[in-house]
Amino acid sequence: MAKGRNNLLGVGGQRKKLSRADQQGAGSARVADRKVAEDKKQELVRKMRERAEAQAATTTPADPAEQDTSAQS
């Protein structure tokens, strides 16, 4: 048996350094910042989808007869 079997110092990775506010339970501003960033990202994705849908709607022909002739070619 190994002598250092009971010595598990350093096993399990490193812990994050907590700020004084985090240690006292005040919470982290980092969580709020992530929430705001996620909200901005979702809003940007929504706007991009709306623009893409509007552009796709304007580029597709509205007349069904035009669609039939292009399908036969």
Side-chain angles (χ1 to χ4, degrees):
M1 288 225 276
K3 289 184 181 180
R5 184 60 107 185
N6 294 327
N7 186 7
L8 297 177
L9 182 64
V11 175
Q14 297 178 349
R15 292 186 183 175
K16 181 180 77 138
K17 301 273 187 193
L18 294 177
S19 67
R20 186 171 286 188
D22 288 339
Q23 290 174 359
Q24 294 173 356
S28 175
R30 192 177 338 170
V31 175
D33 291 342
R34 287 183 185 163
K35 176 102 172 91
V36 170
E38 183 66 25
D39 291 343
K40 286 182 181 179
K41 182 179 177 183
Q42 291 297 326
E43 182 68 19
L44 181 63
V45 169
R46 184 187 61 80
K47 287 180 182 179
M48 290 175 66
R49 283 186 183 148
E50 287 177 356
R51 288 180 188 157
E53 289 173 1
Q55 188 176 17
T58 58
T59 58
T60 56
D63 190 12
E66 291 178 14
Q67 290 178 351
D68 290 339
T69 58
S70 64
Q72 292 175 356
S73 298

